[in-house]
Amino acid sequence: MLPDNDTRFDASGQAWLNQLASRHHNDASLLLQMLREMQERFGHIPQEAVSRLAGKLAIPRARIESVASFYSFLHLKPQGEYRILFSDNITDRMLGNQALLEQMCQLLWLQPGKVSEDGLVSIGTTSCTGMCDQGPALLVNGRAITRLTHQRVQEIAQLVRNRTPMADWPADFFHVDDNIRRRGLLLDNKLAPGDVLRAALALGSDAIIEEIKTSGLRGRGGAGFPTGQKWEGCRKAPGNERYVVCNADEGEPGTFKDRVLLAQQADLVFEGMTLCALSVGARKGFLYLRGEYRYLLEPLQAVLQRRQDSKLLGTDILGHKGFDFNIDIHLGAGAYICGEESALIESLEGKRGVPRNRPPFPVTHGYLQQPTAVDNVETFCQAALALHMGADKYRTIGTERSSGSKLISVSGDCAYPGIYEYPFGVPIREILQDCGAVNTRAVQVSGPSGVCVPESEFGRKLGFEDLPTAGAFMVFDDSRDLFEVARNFVHFFAHESCGFCTPCRVGTSMLKQTMDKIADGHGTQYDLNEIENLDRVLQTSSHCGLGRTACNPVLHTLKHFRPAYENKLKSLMFSPAFDLDGSLARARQMTGRDDAGAHLKEDV
Amino acid sequence: MSDTFQLDGAAVPFEPGQTVMQAALAAGHYIPHLCYHPEFKPHGSCKLCTVKVNGRTTASCTMPAEANLNVESNIEELNALRRTLVQMLFAEGNHFCPSCEKSGNCMLQALGYDLEVHATGFRHLYPDRPLDASHPDVLLDFNRCILCELCVRASSEVDGKNVFALSGRGITKHLIVNAESGKLSDTDFALYDKAMQVCPVGVILPKRVGFSQPIGERRYDKRPISAQALDDAPRQVDTSGNCEACEDPT
Ligand SMILES: Cc1cc2nc3c(=O)[nH]c(=O)nc-3n(C[C@H](O)[C@H](O)[C@H](O)COP(=O)(O)O)c2cc1C
Ligand code: SF4
Ligand code: SF4
Ligand code: FES
């Protein structure tokens, strides 16, 4: 680790910091947004800058450290000038990201997780970056690079060694494909900006909510809460202000449909948010965009500006007196938990993304404790469509209790990964056929927190009746070890646990250790029992959905693919996790020895 | 007549705005807890107080009391859960009770005895957490921190000093001190701060008094925590700011 010499925080840095604070009106609720800009500017958040900012915002400096240390893309210690993070979802692994990471480390002479001695570069891994349809992917200083190959890794290493400014890197590196494979009512819509709002203004707030309720629309973020009911609750809750929040955190590994909607249908997203604002009586909205999608910020801001200019946002929208609404974009900084709605609100308020105690729920006590409607990106699109086409017509699409269509993010072992839009009720088998998957062993529906569906159940249908989904659809063929899939997901949860509650903070780490122990060949029946014990504790006492679902990957794969575990177990009842030989690794490294005499035998 | 809910078969009266925990303690019913402190807003993080309300598990310290709820607490399923949570907390930090100054006055240890936690249960994580002995009167031994945030809350809400905060995420979460040096001596922390009195375990310790009260004669040596906690229940702070139930730090 380098000393925190803060060489990057000189007089011009200080002037910049003063300007940053005044641009944000010295408002501590914008702390995270300021920290994110500091990270971009300095490559880390210098100690001295923390103290100065604390003074400006009149908050304790420990609070700034506390917030900064929560988000994985913010660093309180100097990192490399080039910070490279390999996306480490199971789909990236299946596409060979580990060999690429090793190659990059060799080319740049450093170890993963370390900063090179000259301070030039640091290399590590990060949770799924939402590029599973074009992986393996990585982030360099927050910018996504997709479709990695050994060739591309070599080129990147060369650019880094030459200290080429990122603005001069080949544009092709940063190209992100939309990969839309199948369209339906959403992706095929021919709406022009303002169409929905004009229809809505003719209806009035109460009728809008009625229409959304009648349409049967349910949230697309995973939980499937009836959208009309949420909007009505928000409208009726007592409060001085109301807020609309679009959840674009899209952190569930294997999900990337919101990325495509924000790239392709930004107008429809904002139109849906404005529709919601009209119906609940909100004047202010936020789009919470995950840090991994930083590259979408400027294009989205341009759309907001265009909508301002054409009176679709701002004051007296479409000439309607008193219909005022504005949208701010807030960026996240690498924390899956901020997709949970109350953690998202905490993060919007510039705090650590820790889920709140509920009740009360955000509809009554959300942003700044005021009534707030939080919905997923796709939900806002679907609401706009449902209102425009009419509730009765909308209801005819999909199934009885799951109306409308759903965007599915397909990745993994298939010929055509990408975005597929289907009416609800589509069987898994049909999607597998469409995406060109063969010899499929299992599909992970709705990401690590969802369900692992084995081949015998490919007749099951997507929808709230059977398999609810936020959209992820990861395909595994018969060459894949489902134990390794589950282990990857368990690592994900341990890394993303916010650490607030005991069961999840400690339990996910214990689970990770146990899975690693089994992978290393030290597992026994005892460890399988421990998994069951951990599952019980996580499910019954965790504070939020992350902890409550963290065991799912293990439970589901144990249920359907038990041999994948058992053939890694020792026959013993118990085997210590302490690895005598492993503990000598450091000594071997220091002495430069790796001969037989420097190793202990297993059976000593 | 006020409304009541059922707790393990007994009727418990409550005032509007009370949580299940608050009403239960006030009525003389013990529910195990660690991060809850009667003088502070419930936090809901340790989950020791998990109960079943109408069949669903939830933290009783944050659950608003409502008429006719059916709350189960003292049942084997939940006590087994609590034992595991205590084991997790022991495994997460570095707790060597026999050599700890707080032994006998420690809530974690007392809960361990009361819930009959007989084995370690988990592999210990042995985190590396250096001490902070910089302050003239106070020692910080982070090895025992259970991240309940009571000191954070006390320092900010009562003392108005914000001496403590939490840093990091997940299993790397840890307590920090509000100073660029990270040292307690560079803050205005003082022996008479409320934050000095609230730590349920042995992190924030007054110097030079370690064993002046012998082990064996301490708070939970005399009475199990389940009895002690009820006496402390709606704890009253007297006009001089002293809390009868809190230990005297000097
Ligand atoms: C750990 C966790 C992560 C979540 N991540 C997301 C997310 O990335 N995007 C999302 O829309 N909802 C996410 N949710 C669900 C939200 O809490 C919330 O239910 C949703 O945003 C509501 O919108 P909807 O009704 O339109 O689905 C997450 C929930 C949990 C527990
Ligand atoms: S369950 Fe996990 S993510 Fe959720 S509050 Fe608890 S520690 Fe945080
Ligand atoms: S130091 Fe004590 S009071 Fe503070 S968080 Fe740790 S255990 Fe809780
Ligand atoms: S006492 Fe309720 S969660 Fe800690």
Side-chain angles (χ1 to χ4, degrees):
Chain A
M1 184 73 62
L2 287 178
D4 187 359
N5 51 17
D6 290 352
T7 48
R8 291 166 227 178
F9 192 64
D10 51 12
S12 79
Q14 289 176 20
W16 180 88
L17 185 77
N18 292 346
Q19 213 210 355
L20 173 83
S22 40
R23 192 151 43 79
H24 290 87
H25 319 291
N26 294 331
D27 178 355
S29 79
L30 298 173
L31 176 59
L32 175 58
Q33 301 310 305
M34 291 185 245
L35 290 174
R36 200 191 52 69
E37 286 195 36
M38 285 161 79
Q39 171 70 42
E40 270 185 23
R41 160 83 203 227
F42 301 112
H44 76 292
I45 297 166
Q47 286 290 317
E48 202 189 324
V50 172
S51 296
R52 279 180 172 262
L53 187 64
K56 293 241 163 248
L57 307 185
I59 56 175
R61 75 182 309 289
R63 176 160 156 212
I64 300 184
E65 272 186 52
S66 171
V67 171
S69 61
F70 187 85
Y71 297 91
S72 20
F73 296 164
L74 304 179
H75 302 278
L76 288 159
K77 287 263 158 32
Q79 299 290 302
E81 276 169 54
Y82 295 89
R83 296 168 301 284
I84 298 177
L85 291 173
F86 281 79
S87 176
D88 203 19
N89 187 22
I90 185 70
T91 53
D92 297 290
R93 291 219 161 190
M94 284 154 50
L95 293 165
N97 74 335
Q98 282 167 302
L100 296 169
L101 184 145
E102 272 165 37
Q103 182 198 3
M104 181 87 82
C105 286
Q106 265 170 14
L107 289 171
L108 292 168
W109 288 89
L110 80 164
Q111 286 178 348
K114 297 265 159 66
V115 183
S116 61
E117 277 175 30
D118 54 1
L120 176 64
V121 55
S122 47
I123 300 179
T125 58
T126 187
S127 300
C128 178
T129 54
M131 300 289 167
C132 326
D133 56 334
Q134 47 207 300
L138 56 69
L139 299 171
V140 183
N141 296 355
R143 283 296 305 272
I145 298 184
T146 61
R147 291 161 287 138
L148 292 175
T149 56
H150 286 291
Q151 164 80 24
R152 189 160 273 193
V153 165
Q154 242 167 25
E155 287 168 18
I156 294 172
Q158 191 63 39
L159 289 164
V160 169
R161 258 193 258 110
N162 295 341
R163 288 199 149 86
T164 311
M166 286 194 59
D168 300 335
W169 289 26
D172 176 51
F173 281 19
F174 306 106
H175 178 75
V176 176
D177 281 315
D178 289 330
N179 285 330
I180 294 176
R181 310 282 185 180
R182 191 181 193 279
R183 293 166 188 271
L185 75 127
L186 201 174
L187 294 172
D188 252 347
N189 83 81
K190 302 280 184 295
L191 293 173
D195 282 357
V196 176
L197 288 180
R198 275 184 211 96
L201 278 167
L203 280 176
S205 316
D206 289 328
I208 298 172
I209 288 182
E210 263 330 294
E211 198 68 10
I212 300 293
K213 276 165 82 177
T214 316
S215 75
L217 177 62
R218 296 171 69 167
R220 300 300 198 248
F225 193 84
T227 309
Q229 202 178 315
K230 187 187 287 182
W231 292 10
E232 186 173 45
C234 181
R235 176 182 168 73
K236 289 195 173 152
N240 305 324
E241 285 285 343
R242 291 183 167 63
Y243 296 95
V244 172
V245 175
C246 177
N247 188 342
D249 196 50
E250 189 154 73
E252 192 71 41
T255 319
F256 47 88
K257 47 110 190 161
D258 294 341
R259 179 197 91 210
V260 175
L261 285 175
L262 292 168
Q264 285 259 325
Q265 301 282 342
D267 265 295
L268 193 63
V269 178
F270 293 137
E271 189 113 351
M273 288 178 71
T274 316
L275 170 71
C276 177
L278 177 64
S279 71
V280 306
R283 295 190 302 163
K284 172 116 203 163
F286 295 97
L287 180 106
Y288 187 91
L289 183 67
R290 73 185 305 217
E292 289 82 346
Y293 297 166
R294 165 71 182 80
Y295 71 99
L296 289 171
L297 180 64
E298 284 83 12
L300 287 169
Q301 274 166 341
V303 176
L304 286 178
Q305 187 57 52
R306 175 166 52 66
R307 290 181 71 87
Q308 288 268 3
D309 297 343
S310 42
K311 297 294 285 172
L312 295 170
L313 278 175
T315 43
D316 300 338
I317 292 172
L318 288 171
H320 197 90
K321 262 258 155 307
F323 179 16
D324 306 339
F325 186 59
N326 281 300
I327 298 175
D328 279 353
I329 302 177
H330 275 222
L331 268 167
Y336 163 67
I337 191 58
C338 290
E340 194 282 336
E341 56 185 7
S342 66
L344 187 154
I345 290 170
E346 289 283 296
S347 184
L348 273 182
E349 293 180 359
K351 305 182 193 149
R352 293 161 65 87
V354 173
R356 293 178 175 173
N357 285 311
R358 289 157 306 152
F361 292 92
V363 269
T364 59
H365 295 75
Y367 182 67
L368 304 178
Q369 297 299 321
Q370 299 300 308
T372 304
V374 185
D375 281 302
N376 174 255
V377 173
E378 187 183 354
T379 312
F380 283 117
C381 293
Q382 294 282 355
L385 290 168
L387 189 97
H388 194 261
M389 77 196 302
D392 293 326
K393 193 163 166 217
Y394 188 84
R395 265 210 105 100
T396 61
I397 304 159
T399 66
E400 168 95 37
R401 290 201 285 129
S402 316
S403 56
S405 66
K406 181 79 193 90
L407 263 56
I408 306 297
S409 320
V410 177
S411 63
D413 295 314
C414 65
Y416 314 107
I419 296 295
Y420 293 72
E421 181 178 359
Y422 291 98
F424 269 120
V426 59
I428 289 189
R429 188 165 288 118
E430 187 179 328
I431 305 177
L432 287 173
Q433 267 157 17
D434 291 351
C435 71
V438 290
N439 302 328
T440 306
R441 173 169 285 167
V443 177
Q444 185 75 22
V445 174
S446 206
S449 67
V451 207
C452 180
V453 183
E455 192 188 351
S456 57
E457 297 178 11
F458 285 172
R460 292 176 68 181
K461 295 171 178 163
L462 300 188
F464 299 106
E465 290 91 339
D466 181 13
L467 281 173
T469 178
F473 192 97
M474 290 183 269
V475 182
F476 304 105
D477 71 17
D478 57 11
S479 71
R480 305 296 175 186
D481 179 355
L482 271 300
F483 169 83
E484 281 302 324
V485 174
R487 191 160 78 97
N488 177 267
F489 292 165
V490 163
H491 276 245
F492 165 76
F493 284 125
H495 179 65
E496 297 296 344
S497 164
C498 85
F500 174 73
C501 68
T502 312
C504 172
R505 182 181 68 244
V506 186
T508 53
S509 270
M510 299 291 178
L511 190 64
K512 172 175 139 175
Q513 283 194 350
T514 304
M515 291 295 275
D516 289 351
K517 183 181 171 194
I518 297 175
D520 290 344
H522 296 291
T524 62
Q525 184 60 39
Y526 175 90
D527 295 291
L528 294 190
N529 298 347
E530 176 159 306
I531 286 174
E532 272 164 34
N533 184 25
L534 285 170
D535 168 56
R536 199 169 38 78
V537 174
L538 279 159
Q539 270 194 30
T540 52
S541 62
S542 291
H543 183 66
C544 84
L546 190 154
R548 289 195 184 233
T549 53
C551 262
N552 282 0
V554 185
L555 288 186
H556 297 165
T557 47
L558 256 177
K559 178 165 171 218
H560 300 297
F561 305 99
R562 203 174 177 94
Y565 288 74
E566 284 176 344
N567 63 29
K568 293 184 181 63
L569 299 186
K570 291 191 165 181
S571 54
L572 317 165
M573 257 316 275
F574 177 79
S575 166
F578 185 68
D579 174 2
L580 266 180
D581 183 56
S583 65
L584 291 176
R586 181 108 180 271
R588 280 194 293 270
Q589 198 187 13
M590 283 162 65
T591 53
R593 276 184 64 181
D594 200 19
D595 55 290
H599 282 274
L600 286 170
K601 277 204 217 73
E602 263 273 308
D603 50 11
V604 280
Chain B
M1 214 198 89
S2 66
D3 281 325
T4 62
F5 62 85
Q6 294 287 311
L7 173 63
D8 291 330
V12 177
F14 65 93
E15 306 291 330
Q18 273 185 323
T19 65
V20 167
M21 171 74 76
Q22 286 162 339
L25 289 177
H29 301 278
Y30 173 68
I31 302 175
H33 57 269
L34 204 41
C35 70
Y36 173 74
H37 186 298
E39 290 167 49
F40 292 91
K41 198 166 153 265
H43 193 236
S45 60
C46 76
K47 303 298 178 193
L48 256 299
C49 69
T50 300
V51 294
K52 275 191 174 181
V53 176
N54 297 343
R56 291 189 55 181
T57 47
T58 183
S60 61
C61 68
T62 52
M63 173 77 195
E66 273 175 47
N68 305 322
L69 294 179
N70 178 25
V71 183
E72 296 165 88
S73 171
N74 193 12
I75 55 176
E76 176 48 29
E77 179 190 343
L78 292 174
N79 287 328
L81 169 78
R82 292 172 184 138
R83 278 193 285 276
T84 311
L85 290 172
V86 168
Q87 288 173 330
M88 283 180 166
L89 288 170
F90 271 110
E92 181 187 23
N94 297 312
H95 299 267
F96 305 104
C97 295
S99 64
C100 176
E101 284 182 32
K102 190 83 172 197
S103 186
N105 284 328
C106 168
M107 280 181 76
L108 182 65
Q109 183 194 44
L111 270 168
Y113 282 125
D114 211 34
L115 289 164
E116 303 188 354
V117 179
H118 294 304
T120 50
F122 294 100
R123 232 167 300 141
H124 284 228
L125 299 177
Y126 301 117
D128 186 14
R129 298 181 184 169
L131 310 187
D132 178 351
S134 63
H135 194 280
D137 302 321
V138 182
L139 172 73
L140 294 180
D141 188 341
F142 298 108
N143 287 296
R144 304 162 186 150
C145 180
I146 55 167
L147 308 166
C148 68
E149 283 184 61
L150 272 168
C151 60
V152 179
R153 294 181 273 162
S155 185
S156 111
E157 291 165 26
V158 182
D159 305 329
K161 290 188 180 177
N162 296 299
V163 169
F164 300 107
L166 288 167
S167 180
R169 181 174 89 194
I171 198 69
T172 69
K173 194 169 85 159
H174 60 280
L175 194 68
I176 56 166
V177 163
N178 187 32
E180 200 168 308
S181 66
K183 293 278 174 249
L184 192 65
S185 54
D186 290 330
T187 70
D188 50 358
F189 193 66
L191 210 46
Y192 49 79
D193 280 1
K194 183 73 183 171
M196 193 67 220
Q197 304 168 1
V198 291
C199 182
V201 292
V203 180
I204 308 177
L205 298 166
K207 285 186 175 171
R208 295 177 292 276
V209 292
F211 294 93
S212 57
Q213 185 187 26
I215 289 185
E217 292 172 23
R218 297 180 169 194
R219 189 177 177 78
Y220 302 113
D221 295 332
K222 295 182 211 147
R223 312 184 61 199
I225 191 168
S226 46
Q228 187 64 53
L230 287 176
D231 291 357
D232 304 346
R235 296 187 198 186
Q236 296 298 329
V237 184
D238 68 26
T239 42
S240 63
N242 289 323
C243 163
E244 217 189 304
C246 295
E247 292 160 61
D248 189 352
T250 48

